[in-house]
Amino acid sequence: MRKLHRHRSIRPLPHPNPIISTTLSPSYPTKHEINGHLDNDENLISTITNIVHGNQSWSVSFNNTISSNLKQQHVEKVLLRTLDDPRLALRFFNFLGLHRNFNHSTTSFCILIHALVQSNLLWPASSLIQTLLLRTSSPEIVFKYYYDTYVNYNFSRTIGFDLLINAYVQGRRVLDSFSVVNLMKSKNVMPEIRTVSDVFNGLIRIRRFDLVLKFFDEMTEIGIRGNAYIHTAIIRCLCELKNFDRANELIQWLGSNNHELNIVMYNVFIHGLCKSQKMEEAMELKQALPLKGLKADVVTYCSLIMGFCRLQQFKTARTLISEMVDMGFVPSEAVVSGVVEGLRRNGDAISAYNLIQDLDSIKALPNIFVYNALINSLCKEGNVDEANILFKNMDTNGLTPNDITYSIIIDSFCKRGQLEDARLFLDKMNDSGIKASVYPYNSLINGYCKSGKPRIAETLLKEMVFQDVNPTVVTYTCLIDGYCKHQDVHKALRLYHEMTGKRIFPNTYTFTSLISGFFNANMGTEASAFFLEMMERNVIPNERTYNVMIEGHCQEGNMVKAFDLFDQMVEKGLKPDTYTFRSLMAGLCSINKVSEAKEFVNNLNRQNHKLNEMCYSALLQGFCQAGLLDDAISASNEMIEKGIDMDIVCYSMLINGSVKEGDDVKLIHFLKEMHDKGMKPDNVLYTILIDAFGKRRDLGKAIGYWDIMISEKCNPNVVTYTVIINCLCKLGFIEKAEVLFKEMLVNSIFPNHVTYGCFLDCLTNEGHMEKALHLHNIMLKGSLANTITYNILIRGFCKLGRIQEGVKILDEMFDNGILPDHVSYSTIIYEYCRNGNVHEAIKVWDLMIDSGLKPDTLAYSFIIHGCCVAGELTKAVDFRDDMVKRGLKLNQSLELL
């Protein structure tokens, strides 16, 4: 194949017409003269040429007659006669286009471009090329005019072709630029090697590696010597095509043929190997660099490090970072981010933190997203001090904390219960001018709700709205859940209606929280209504929703509904878990269907469901409550056979059952078995023992276990103290109970309403009502009084026949914001009936009904019996009928009415 060569034909430029001095009369014809020679193109061209070279205003000289007769070929001729001054030619060209709206020919563009290039005016030439390419889309047409002009008018510099190619490349018309290169080659004209390199890189960007390699082969075939840029582009192509063998052969060939080899070329090869996870070959290339007289640079290391990151080999990547830092190189942000993020994702946040600390002196940091992610991981793993150090160092390291950074820190504080610290960070965030999003507010609201402070959480909701931060379903769900767990379902319901009123739609968690709250408040009907509403809104219940529903119905003793929900759950493809099974087993046991609970366990075992100690503890409790200790022991043996370890709760059930059965031998046996397994009774188990022996009125053993508990340094809690105090009070040892009460206060264990209730019950039983009232006033001041403590006082006064004082206590309850229950009213009703004052009893009954309370069977028995004794048989029958309407079961005596 013949060798391509540059077109070298240089011809003399056409001699321009002489410039006429402007100091004489105008050399151009007058209007009358022009009109006489309009048919003479040469005269017109000469006239225009003289105007262009003259000093008078072109706007005046180019009158309407000239402009209307001006053709594209006239302009081409004028441009050729102005080649000695291409700047002037450019002015003329632009004047016609801008002021006369003249449509220049492609030939005019090409003449002027070549003329400008000839005078080394490359920038205006490039600008003209850009305009030309906007006019003509076809590179073949442009090249034809371009080449013909170059040849026909004897231009000598070929750099204009390079400018044309570069214009296509810069305009992202790479394939068009490649077409021009091929057209040049067909005319035996070759662009500069640097231009070819630019075209190659453009083709690589659009992944036309085939065209690059084909043209390079043709270049090599005809003996055109490439440079380092060309060879680097070829290596990049080969790496993209994963043809590493040929890339290696090319490097070897270049070295043996005295071509330049530089680090850039090797870096491209190493990068390609790293992308294809050929790290061993990449490292071998890096190690061989000194033999080629080259040194690895920052790009070399960065490519290798990112390669090892792709292979999850972060320790090797970490070592290479240390090596490059020792050589004085600063790793890029991308490299540091990659290694830090890789270590974090692989559960080694501490190593990622240590890397950032090591690089602190050279200020090499990951990007803000990776930095935030690491702070988040450190917080979640409990490495809070390290997270705080990273946060404090952000400003000094040139990283500005953003809303995500603050949100992570605030959320971390909230999850650890450090709500005041979290609140301070929210204030700091606002002071920094960073607008808080909904996320930190949600974290704080959730934190306060979980710590039992939903009212404070609700103030944050108001603050959000004031700050123009829109609450989400998560915001309201946290508050609803908080109030439900705080036993305030009415406020939870208010928030639910507020949320839906704002068209914030409840989700599965919202409904689950409400359902749980209503069941816990013994409002099963309302809970079931919300479950139906959930279905109507097409909100899909999850496993937890069904578990809450099942547990709620089990606690109500409605096992038919509970098992219906269980079946429904399975039909929907949801998986019941040990929480589900435990609720169903406990529910069956609570309605004395222990044998059915055992059969349920057997069925679950046959279906290969995995039960845990919590499930079996429910069964053990059911057996023990039913007095079936031997069955409970058999169930515990079955647990052990199935590899389920007996925990302290299971032993507590068996021990409690043994005490109830009065079987001290078995009690000692289980305590010894616990000891042999290295398990120590906790304060819950000791409390069970003390309470059980106290109820058996065996004070000696109750005190004995108390002493053992203290000797083993198992600290009693408020429940344990209350149990032993109750035991002492019941047995008449009130002075000893008072000693323990004082001991509680010394040990900073604060008595609750049950503790006070023990003393209150003892005082009222012994008729010490003044002391009881004094104690109750103390309870009121400490917000410990409740309906039960008031009922104790009412019972005490009624027992002494001081019924009016009992009624006064009933009124006082309302004054102190404590609502009486049916026991409060029934106690007074009973006393009135016992004294034969049935009319007053009926008045109190009406008050109870007006309060919205539902009388129980005992209350109906009192009022009906009182009516019968007083001879009010009609009213007795009315009460009986009302009782039947309410669905209460009549006892034998009431059925006779």
Side-chain angles (χ1 to χ4, degrees):
M1 183 174 180
R2 60 186 173 147
K3 182 177 179 180
L4 291 176
H5 62 274
R6 295 187 183 283
H7 193 86
R8 297 295 183 188
S9 58
I10 301 176
R11 300 175 190 173
L13 296 175
H15 197 281
N17 288 335
I19 299 174
I20 308 300
S21 173
T22 56
T23 57
L24 302 175
S25 298
S27 60
Y28 50 86
T30 64
K31 181 177 181 181
H32 175 75
E33 292 169 326
I34 291 172
N35 287 335
H37 301 285
L38 284 176
D39 58 340
N40 190 331
D41 281 352
E42 182 58 36
N43 286 340
L44 181 60
I45 292 166
S46 296
T47 299
I48 295 170
T49 303
N50 289 335
I51 291 173
V52 170
H53 286 88
N55 287 335
Q56 288 200 2
S57 169
W58 291 356
S59 297
V60 174
S61 301
F62 278 90
N63 54 42
N64 291 336
T65 305
I66 293 176
S67 298
S68 61
N69 287 282
L70 190 63
K71 303 290 187 294
Q72 288 181 343
Q73 61 266 29
H74 299 149
V75 175
E76 292 170 9
K77 297 291 186 183
V78 173
L79 289 173
L80 287 171
R81 295 181 183 185
T82 320
L83 292 177
D84 62 328
D85 191 353
R87 291 182 188 276
L88 182 64
L90 181 61
R91 277 184 55 213
F92 167 63
F93 184 90
N94 288 334
F95 170 78
L96 291 178
L98 293 172
H99 298 284
R100 292 294 183 266
N101 293 322
F102 189 79
N103 183 26
H104 289 292
S105 68
T106 303
T107 300
S108 291
F109 271 95
C110 294
I111 290 168
L112 187 52
I113 290 166
H114 284 304
L116 290 166
V117 169
Q118 201 74 34
S119 296
N120 209 34
L121 298 171
L122 304 183
W123 185 86
S126 296
S127 180
L128 268 182
I129 292 171
Q130 297 288 348
T131 307
L132 174 62
L133 297 189
L134 291 174
R135 289 163 46 101
T136 310
S137 60
S138 169
E140 289 79 14
I141 294 173
V142 172
F143 179 78
K144 180 182 182 305
Y145 281 98
Y146 212 80
Y147 181 76
D148 289 348
T149 304
Y150 172 77
V151 172
N152 293 338
Y153 299 114
N154 298 318
F155 290 107
S156 59
R157 296 192 69 191
T158 59
I159 195 170
F161 291 95
D162 292 273
L163 295 179
L164 177 62
I165 293 166
N166 284 327
Y168 278 120
V169 173
Q170 290 167 10
R172 298 186 180 277
R173 296 170 65 178
V174 182
L175 290 174
D176 289 344
S177 74
F178 187 64
S179 294
V180 173
V181 171
N182 279 309
L183 289 167
M184 287 179 68
K185 181 164 68 73
S186 70
K187 299 293 185 181
N188 293 330
V189 181
M190 189 67 186
E192 297 282 350
I193 287 296
R194 182 175 58 184
T195 305
V196 175
S197 174
D198 291 340
V199 174
F200 278 8
N201 286 318
L203 290 169
I204 289 169
R205 280 195 295 273
I206 63 171
R207 304 190 68 76
R208 289 304 305 268
F209 311 121
D210 56 327
L211 298 180
V212 176
L213 294 174
K214 181 175 179 295
F215 195 83
F216 176 71
D217 289 340
E218 291 176 1
M219 283 176 56
T220 306
E221 230 179 275
I222 60 177
I224 297 177
R225 186 181 177 91
N227 61 9
Y229 297 103
I230 293 286
H231 297 144
T232 302
I234 299 304
I235 291 170
R236 180 172 284 113
C237 280
L238 294 170
C239 287
E240 290 289 346
L241 294 170
K242 302 189 187 315
N243 194 343
F244 300 112
D245 291 336
R246 187 178 170 190
N248 189 50
E249 288 170 6
L250 177 60
I251 284 183
Q252 299 301 324
W253 180 83
L254 292 172
S256 61
N257 285 275
N258 297 319
H259 283 275
E260 178 190 355
L261 289 173
N262 58 30
I263 190 62
V264 177
M265 208 176 293
Y266 274 96
N267 282 343
V268 169
F269 194 10
I270 288 170
H271 179 73
L273 290 167
C274 291
K275 276 182 68 176
S276 294
Q277 300 184 1
K278 294 181 175 293
M279 296 311 300
E280 188 175 344
E281 292 94 325
M283 285 296 289
E284 286 175 2
L285 269 182
K286 183 248 183 190
Q287 301 299 340
L289 286 175
L291 301 175
K292 307 290 183 182
L294 300 172
K295 288 183 179 180
D297 62 8
V298 66
V299 177
T300 320
Y301 278 103
C302 288
S303 295
L304 289 166
I305 291 165
M306 294 305 288
F308 281 114
C309 285
R310 289 188 191 96
L311 290 177
Q312 308 288 304
Q313 295 180 20
F314 299 106
K315 288 186 179 179
T316 307
R318 178 77 175 82
T319 303
L320 282 170
I321 285 183
S322 299
E323 186 180 314
M324 73 182 293
V325 170
D326 291 342
M327 293 181 68
F329 298 131
V330 177
S332 67
E333 180 188 274
V335 164
V336 178
S337 298
V339 179
V340 168
E341 181 67 357
L343 289 167
R344 183 192 72 81
R345 283 182 179 275
N346 278 266
D348 198 356
I350 285 296
S351 291
Y353 165 79
N354 290 333
L355 174 58
I356 290 179
Q357 294 301 94
D358 291 345
L359 298 175
D360 184 67
S361 59
I362 58 172
K363 304 301 179 187
L365 294 172
N367 60 48
I368 186 68
F369 306 105
V370 172
Y371 205 92
N372 284 342
L374 179 57
I375 290 175
N376 189 38
S377 290
L378 289 168
C379 289
K380 285 181 177 178
E381 292 173 11
N383 299 308
V384 183
D385 293 338
E386 288 80 359
N388 286 336
I389 289 170
L390 286 181
F391 180 82
K392 289 175 183 176
N393 290 346
M394 288 184 78
D395 287 329
T396 56
N397 287 328
L399 279 176
T400 304
N402 57 17
D403 60 319
I404 296 173
T405 320
Y406 278 103
S407 297
I408 290 167
I409 297 292
I410 290 167
D411 186 62
S412 172
F413 277 125
C414 291
K415 284 176 178 173
R416 298 197 311 274
Q418 296 173 248
L419 298 170
E420 296 308 311
D421 291 329
R423 190 60 198 265
L424 287 173
F425 260 83
L426 181 64
D427 294 338
K428 185 178 179 180
M429 182 180 182
N430 291 326
D431 293 342
S432 299
I434 301 172
K435 181 177 173 59
S437 65
V438 70
Y439 300 107
Y441 278 108
N442 282 352
S443 296
L444 277 161
I445 287 169
N446 190 42
Y448 277 113
C449 287
K450 284 188 181 298
S451 64
K453 299 174 181 176
R455 289 183 180 83
I456 297 176
E458 195 171 358
T459 63
L460 282 166
L461 173 64
K462 294 174 183 175
E463 183 182 315
M464 282 176 70
V465 175
F466 181 76
Q467 296 288 346
D468 291 326
V469 179
N470 294 323
T472 64
V473 63
V474 175
T475 318
Y476 277 103
T477 299
C478 289
L479 282 164
I480 288 168
D481 188 62
Y483 275 120
C484 284
K485 286 176 178 171
H486 201 61
Q487 304 293 315
D488 197 341
V489 291
H490 298 293
K491 283 194 175 178
L493 192 59
R494 175 181 59 77
L495 283 164
Y496 172 77
H497 290 307
E498 180 183 313
M499 175 181 74
T500 53
K502 291 180 178 179
R503 298 191 66 77
I504 300 172
F505 300 107
N507 60 20
T508 303
Y509 302 99
T510 318
F511 280 111
T512 303
S513 295
L514 283 165
I515 292 166
S516 178
F518 279 110
F519 269 125
N520 289 335
N522 296 318
M523 299 168 70
T525 304
E526 290 81 355
S528 296
F530 265 105
F531 186 72
L532 290 174
E533 183 178 337
M534 185 179 186
M535 298 295 193
E536 289 168 3
R537 286 180 175 266
N538 293 320
V539 179
I540 308 300
N542 59 15
E543 283 90 348
R544 184 171 179 270
T545 316
Y546 274 102
N547 282 343
V548 167
M549 286 291 296
I550 289 168
E551 183 183 34
H553 285 299
C554 288
Q555 288 173 347
E556 290 181 338
N558 190 349
M559 296 310 298
V560 173
K561 184 64 178 175
F563 273 100
D564 283 345
L565 285 165
F566 174 70
D567 293 337
Q568 188 184 125
M569 182 182 185
V570 174
E571 286 171 9
K572 288 181 179 291
L574 299 174
K575 292 184 178 179
D577 55 14
T578 51
Y579 189 96
T580 324
F581 303 143
R582 182 181 183 278
S583 297
L584 290 166
M585 290 157 63
L588 290 169
C589 292
S590 69
I591 59 172
N592 299 318
K593 292 188 176 182
V594 187
S595 58
E596 291 186 22
K598 182 64 175 72
E599 182 56 33
F600 180 57
V601 170
N602 293 339
N603 287 334
L604 291 173
N605 285 327
R606 281 192 289 269
Q607 294 169 15
N608 296 318
H609 285 288
K610 289 186 178 180
L611 305 181
N612 61 9
E613 63 280 359
M614 290 180 63
C615 297
Y616 273 97
S617 66
L619 186 60
L620 296 180
Q621 185 178 20
F623 278 129
C624 291
Q625 283 178 342
L628 303 170
L629 181 58
D630 290 338
D631 290 330
I633 293 170
S634 296
S636 70
N637 292 332
E638 182 182 304
M639 279 180 68
I640 296 167
E641 288 172 8
K642 292 185 175 296
I644 303 171
D645 293 330
M646 290 273 291
D647 64 3
I648 195 166
V649 176
C650 294
Y651 276 110
S652 297
M653 301 298 176
L654 294 174
I655 288 168
N656 192 29
S658 301
V659 173
K660 284 183 177 178
E661 291 274 315
D663 195 334
D664 291 352
V665 175
K666 286 179 181 173
L667 166 64
I668 300 300
H669 167 75
F670 289 128
L671 286 172
K672 183 179 182 301
E673 194 172 294
M674 283 182 66
H675 180 270
D676 293 342
K677 289 183 177 181
M679 298 168 63
K680 285 187 176 182
D682 58 4
N683 53 18
V684 176
L685 180 50
Y686 277 117
T687 302
I688 289 171
L689 286 166
I690 294 165
D691 184 51
F693 282 109
K695 286 174 179 175
R696 280 170 51 180
R697 306 183 72 81
D698 192 339
L699 184 60
K701 285 187 178 177
I703 295 293
Y705 281 110
W706 171 270
D707 292 338
I708 294 171
M709 180 181 183
I710 300 301
S711 67
E712 290 187 351
K713 297 183 179 179
C714 180
N715 297 323
N717 57 24
V718 63
V719 179
T720 320
Y721 270 107
T722 301
V723 164
I724 191 72
I725 285 170
N726 184 52
C727 176
L728 291 167
C729 288
K730 293 275 188 200
L731 295 175
F733 298 100
I734 193 165
E735 293 82 4
K736 289 184 178 180
E738 287 174 350
V739 171
L740 284 176
F741 183 83
K742 292 175 182 177
E743 184 182 300
M744 281 180 74
L745 298 176
V746 171
N747 292 329
S748 299
I749 298 172
F750 300 103
N752 57 24
H753 66 279
V754 181
T755 320
Y756 279 106
C758 296
F759 290 102
L760 198 65
D761 185 61
C762 182
L763 290 169
T764 54
N765 281 333
E766 293 183 2
H768 302 310
M769 293 307 299
E770 284 67 27
K771 287 184 178 180
L773 283 172
H774 176 72
L775 177 61
H776 197 262
N777 287 333
I778 294 172
M779 294 175 69
L780 273 171
K781 290 177 182 177
S783 300
L784 292 172
N786 59 21
T787 303
I788 294 172
T789 58
Y790 270 108
N791 287 347
I792 292 172
L793 287 176
I794 291 170
R795 185 201 64 196
F797 279 117
C798 288
K799 188 176 179 181
L800 295 173
R802 297 159 64 177
I803 191 168
Q804 292 306 318
E805 291 175 81
V807 173
K808 186 179 177 183
I809 291 292
L810 194 66
D811 294 334
E812 186 184 310
M813 290 177 73
F814 286 104
D815 294 339
N816 289 320
I818 298 173
L819 297 177
D821 61 7
H822 62 276
V823 175
S824 317
Y825 289 104
S826 296
T827 305
I828 293 173
I829 289 167
Y830 171 76
E831 191 59 26
Y832 273 128
C833 289
R834 194 174 68 85
N835 292 329
N837 195 346
V838 72
H839 296 292
E840 289 298 323
I842 292 172
K843 286 181 182 178
V844 176
W845 179 276
D846 291 339
L847 283 174
M848 177 172 63
I849 300 300
D850 292 341
S851 298
L853 292 172
K854 297 176 182 178
D856 59 3
T857 303
L858 195 61
Y860 272 107
S861 298
F862 290 158
I863 194 73
I864 291 171
H865 180 74
C867 289
C868 290
V869 171
E872 300 281 352
L873 294 178
T874 303
K875 287 187 176 181
V877 171
D878 289 341
F879 278 119
R880 187 202 63 178
D881 293 343
D882 186 55
M883 182 179 178
V884 173
K885 285 179 184 178
R886 290 181 181 269
L888 296 175
K889 189 176 181 181
L890 299 173
N891 58 31
Q892 192 173 5
S893 61
L894 294 178
E895 287 177 353
L896 298 175
L897 282 174

